[in-house]
Amino acid sequence: MQIDAALPIVRALADGVNPVTGEAYPEHSPYAEPRALRALYSAVDLMQKEIEREKRRERLPANFGKPWSGEEDRDACAEFDGGMTIAEMSRRHLRTQSSIRLRLEKLGKIEPTPS
């Protein structure tokens, strides 16, 4: 089961509700026990964070975080020397603009950005 499908079920349990019927659990239900509630709410928080991380990963370019090859370094240098913008290079190499900038700094093509 995917986390985004499990989250509403765990959230319902944390809220003291039967996720199948929508009925509230009795006051003496195991789900009302304080340690169980804390564990369920912790699980809900962790699941929400993981869903947010996954959404962020989906928005990142395909080569985000991957190592650069020698060929890709040569291509980046040639493109930069040929006047290609960092934004264009970013789209071509499937990397963020920050990654392109940092790589060009490492390759000595641009000066490091002051912190």
Side-chain angles (χ1 to χ4, degrees):
M1 175 180 277
Q2 297 295 322
I3 290 177
D4 55 343
L7 179 59
I9 295 168
V10 177
R11 185 179 284 131
L13 293 170
D15 290 339
V17 175
N18 182 320
V20 177
T21 65
E23 295 177 49
Y25 281 113
E27 191 175 310
H28 298 292
S29 164
Y31 297 110
E33 199 275 322
R35 289 179 300 166
L37 284 173
R38 282 193 297 276
L40 287 166
Y41 279 113
S42 292
V44 167
D45 287 342
L46 290 170
M47 294 168 86
Q48 287 174 320
K49 288 176 184 173
E50 181 57 31
I51 289 169
E52 290 167 13
R53 270 193 294 275
E54 184 59 35
K55 286 180 182 178
R56 182 177 182 271
R57 277 191 294 268
E58 289 173 3
R59 290 189 307 264
L60 291 172
N63 289 332
F64 178 80
K66 292 182 180 175
W68 287 71
S69 69
E71 181 180 347
E72 195 174 15
D73 282 343
R74 286 187 294 282
D75 289 348
C77 287
E79 292 160 0
F80 184 75
D81 291 343
M84 189 179 282
T85 67
I86 289 176
E88 291 169 327
M89 292 172 70
S90 171
R91 286 188 294 276
R92 183 183 178 290
H93 291 272
L94 303 176
R95 296 184 181 270
T96 63
Q97 290 186 36
S98 297
S99 174
I100 298 292
R101 236 180 253 100
L102 287 170
R103 198 62 184 182
L104 291 172
E105 286 177 12
K106 182 176 180 168
L107 295 170
K109 292 294 180 180
I110 61 176
E111 290 296 316
T113 308
S115 300

